[in-house]
Amino acid sequence: MTVPGSAVGGLNLLHRLDARVKIVGLVGFAVVVVTTPPQAAWAFVLYALTLVFLAALARLSPLAVGKRLLVIVPFVVVVAIFLPFFHPEGRVLVEWGPLRVTDRGALIFWNTAAKAVLSTWGMIILGLTTSFPELVNGLSDLRMPRVFVLTLSFMHRYSRLFLEESQSMRRAMASRNYNPRWLGQVPALGKMLGALFLRSYSRGERVYVAMVSRGYEGTFALNGRRRLRATDLAFAVFILGAAAVIRIVVAAGGF
Amino acid sequence: MHIPDGFVDIPTAAVTGALSLGAVAWAVRKSSKESGDRTIPLLGVTAAFIFAAQMLNFPIAAGTSGHFLGGVLAAALLGPWIGSLAITIVVAVQALAMADGGITALGANVLNMAIIGVWAGYGLLVLLKKALPRNLISYLVALAVGSWFSIALAAAACAAELAVSGTIPLRNALPAMVSVHMVIGLGEALITVAVASAVLAARPDLVRSYDLPRESLARTGAPRTQRRVRFWSFVVSLFVVALALAVFISPFASSAPDGLESVAIKHGAEQMAAETPVWRFSPLPDYQLPGIESETLSTALAGLIGTAALFAVVVLAGRALGRRRTGQQAG
């Protein structure tokens, strides 16, 4: 089961980078990809090569990346299904009975699919090389509002606990030969989730009381800001530079 | 319903992002005023609960598992401000750490699920609570309708964003997205009601939107079979309502743009629309399946085929995944 923060720090170059440059670099990369006009197919190939290089640098297994890429499949499939039904103007590429795919329709499909794959891929690299506490620290260094930073760290602390609690409840049901799979058994699952809510709420109260008794007054001291190292800057220059150069060449009219 | 990058264009992403940012900032202010220094622990724990609940697949018919959203549940339990903030946090984590939902589409996703979804569902819950007689059953019905509606409306907002971005025309996207999510919403409604009644039975003081006296919760002592009958009649009536809505609303939804188009033709705007590039704004070009004269019919047919294909994919995928997971548990 995927839990945020499953990435382990300190494995290799990309893992050791400061989270700030990874967030800014990969989010910036995604934004540049999304603004690129779809006609420039070669640009998307170069973007993909950049990501291949990064993934190889981080030694990510292609299988792990591919598995996570599956989240975009439903949307791509929806666009593909409707492809024969709209954008009838333009040159017909494929005709199959009453259904036809035009070059404009195909362009829209290519546009969405390529951009979705590339920017999702970038975010997967971010997620797989950055542990959740690092991510939260990076966001806090990037001056994300404190409410969110603190809530995120609370959420990270408890989501794994609650997941394990819900799994152990599920296991308790299964070990009593009860495996709710049908509509009529929804109330049982509802009771389980209800119990989970009550447990989590009372845990929240307990934590709050414990914090107040230790002098909590609504603010936290967060870790101080770290200095960026040369490798961090090099990474930022590489990824943003690559994206910017490709994008500028596209804007200037291609090769 | 997590839109990936590339499916919303930059102007749409900017507008939805700005709207979400404003709404979230407002929610932060309101909830800190409401809960004081309790806000952060409460919010963190609620987000973690929603996150864990979303991981837990729940059964729909035929072994298909559904994706629980939990927005209206959180709003009903802890109030709409905390509810919408908790969903925002969950959606943001899914985009940043798990690549589920695009980063440029984050504004649109937050708007659909955390703002439109939560507030529409919660608003309907409050309205229905006023309109219906004050008792436990009406409260649960209001909760079911609210959470079902929140899913359908979030799907409609998603379709609208895709249409404005020029990815899928509204008359294809709207019927398909809304009809699929009308069914998914039934699961959401059932789970929401089941969880809320479980919490009501144990700690009614923790359900903030339930303002009836405690006596209304007393068990009637109905025998088990009678309770089961009541549960199933509840399920069946939900299905009937959803089907009725699907039959009456879908043709309206799919023919509405045609109405707009005819107005545009009358006012000579057709020329202008035809010159706009397709990926900027979709002018809904005339299209008919050859051999079928009625435009509404061919549009509806297109929507129907798309929906059926989507259903097949969803059911088959759910079956495969469900079987594998069950197998893992047994082994």
Side-chain angles (χ1 to χ4, degrees):
Chain A
M1 190 167 285
T2 334
V3 177
S6 41
V8 193
L11 286 179
N12 60 41
L13 182 70
L14 220 59
H15 291 82
R16 279 196 306 267
L17 285 176
D18 193 294
R20 270 175 287 176
V21 293
K22 279 190 275 189
I23 296 169
V24 171
L26 288 162
V27 170
F29 185 82
V31 172
V32 171
V33 166
V34 170
T35 58
T36 308
Q39 288 85 350
W42 57 269
F44 290 93
V45 175
L46 291 183
Y47 290 139
L49 285 178
T50 315
L51 291 177
V52 168
F53 176 67
L54 286 184
L57 205 64
R59 289 176 209 279
L60 299 179
S61 94
L63 198 69
V65 175
K67 244 191 209 162
R68 284 176 169 75
L69 265 179
L70 289 180
V71 293
I72 62 169
V73 165
F75 276 84
V76 175
V77 166
V78 167
V79 172
I81 285 173
F82 285 125
L83 204 55
F85 295 101
F86 62 86
H87 309 300
E89 315 114 71
R91 206 158 43 82
V92 176
L93 297 179
V94 182
E95 201 156 6
W96 183 60
L99 310 176
R100 65 181 100 127
V101 178
T102 62
D103 55 352
R104 272 202 197 176
L107 188 68
I108 286 179
F109 177 70
W110 157 252
N111 182 32
T112 52
K115 287 176 180 177
V117 167
L118 288 174
S119 29
T120 308
W121 191 356
M123 297 316 285
I124 291 168
I125 292 179
L126 174 67
L128 284 180
T129 59
T130 318
S131 72
F132 200 81
E134 276 173 354
L135 198 67
V136 174
N137 259 340
L139 289 173
S140 138
D141 286 348
L142 290 169
R143 297 181 189 272
M144 192 192 209
R146 290 203 143 201
V147 193
F148 291 106
V149 172
L150 298 174
T151 306
L152 282 174
S153 50
F154 261 96
M155 184 196 163
H156 173 245
R157 222 161 285 170
Y158 292 108
S159 58
R160 195 175 294 225
L161 190 74
F162 292 168
L163 264 177
E164 271 165 20
E165 219 155 76
S166 71
Q167 278 165 349
S168 78
M169 280 195 251
R170 190 101 198 221
R171 210 160 32 239
M173 274 196 214
S175 64
R176 287 159 182 80
N177 275 335
Y178 190 68
N179 188 16
R181 286 253 128 230
W182 277 95
L183 198 60
Q185 294 164 326
V186 164
L189 272 174
K191 285 197 182 86
M192 190 179 132
L193 277 178
L196 187 67
F197 170 75
L198 291 177
R199 285 186 196 181
S200 51
Y201 186 88
S202 56
R203 191 180 297 272
E205 285 287 290
R206 266 201 322 275
V207 169
Y208 171 72
V209 170
M211 278 159 57
V212 167
S213 69
R214 284 160 182 80
Y216 171 69
E217 283 171 334
T219 51
F220 282 86
L222 291 170
N223 292 351
R225 210 162 291 192
R226 282 187 300 163
R227 280 178 65 100
L228 291 177
R229 287 160 305 183
T231 43
D232 298 329
L233 292 174
F235 173 81
V237 168
F238 167 72
I239 185 156
L240 291 176
V245 166
I246 297 170
R247 185 68 185 84
I248 288 168
V249 174
V250 170
F255 287 140
Chain B
M1 215 190 292
H2 293 64
I3 310 175
D5 280 320
F7 285 75
V8 288
D9 61 1
I10 294 292
T12 316
V15 169
T16 51
L19 284 175
S20 304
L21 210 62
V24 167
W26 194 27
V28 167
R29 278 189 57 182
K30 290 295 272 190
S31 61
S32 347
K33 208 174 278 176
E34 219 174 67
S35 330
D37 55 358
R38 264 165 210 259
T39 313
I40 287 167
L42 185 62
L43 204 52
V45 170
T46 311
F49 164 70
I50 298 284
F51 189 77
Q54 288 197 356
M55 285 283 192
L56 207 80
N57 59 327
F58 63 85
I60 311 178
T64 315
S65 66
H67 181 57
F68 181 53
L69 195 62
V72 174
L73 176 66
L77 291 172
L78 300 163
W81 302 110
I82 294 277
S84 98
L85 280 179
I87 302 290
T88 305
I89 299 269
V90 170
V91 171
V93 167
Q94 282 163 342
L96 264 175
M98 299 162 80
D100 190 7
I103 194 77
T104 57
L106 183 60
N109 284 328
V110 166
L111 187 70
N112 297 344
M113 287 183 270
I115 293 157
I116 295 179
V118 169
W119 278 100
Y122 184 76
L124 198 61
L125 166 66
V126 171
L127 277 180
L128 282 177
K129 241 171 48 178
K130 279 197 182 129
L132 295 173
R134 283 172 63 83
N135 59 43
L136 179 63
I137 295 293
S138 331
Y139 174 78
L140 293 179
V141 168
L143 193 60
V145 175
S147 46
W148 175 79
F149 183 70
S150 82
I151 300 292
L153 198 70
C158 178
E161 283 147 14
L162 292 180
V164 170
S165 303
T167 309
I168 309 174
L170 196 64
R171 64 172 173 190
N172 294 109
L174 195 64
M177 283 292 288
V178 172
S179 53
V180 168
H181 283 88
M182 275 172 165
V183 180
I184 294 176
L186 292 177
E188 176 88 8
L190 277 177
I191 287 282
T192 305
V193 167
V195 177
S197 33
V199 176
L200 274 174
R203 289 280 305 272
D205 54 314
L206 288 188
V207 186
R208 203 184 272 201
S209 61
Y210 189 76
D211 48 6
L212 270 62
R214 288 288 170 84
E215 293 79 61
S216 62
L217 290 170
R219 286 255 169 223
T220 47
R224 203 181 151 73
T225 45
Q226 206 175 324
R227 286 218 305 271
R228 181 160 287 178
V229 167
R230 214 190 291 152
F231 170 74
W232 278 105
S233 50
F234 185 69
V235 171
V236 168
S237 52
L238 261 181
F239 265 112
V240 168
V241 170
L243 256 173
L245 280 167
V247 166
F248 287 111
I249 289 179
S250 289
F252 169 72
S254 63
S255 64
D258 296 325
L260 269 181
E261 202 175 31
S262 73
V263 173
I265 292 166
K266 238 180 251 165
H267 293 268
E270 178 89 314
Q271 203 68 42
M272 192 183 71
E275 280 163 13
T276 323
V278 190
W279 53 88
R280 277 249 157 244
F281 180 73
S282 115
L284 306 170
D286 305 307
Y287 182 60
Q288 294 168 331
L289 285 173
I292 300 172
E293 292 302 317
S294 153
E295 190 179 333
T296 326
L297 191 65
S298 71
T299 309
L301 206 65
L304 197 70
I305 295 170
T307 312
L310 246 178
F311 258 129
V313 169
V314 168
V315 168
L316 286 177
R319 273 219 163 149
L321 290 175
R323 192 170 297 151
R324 209 186 58 197
R325 204 157 288 164
T326 324
Q328 275 171 357
Q329 269 174 3

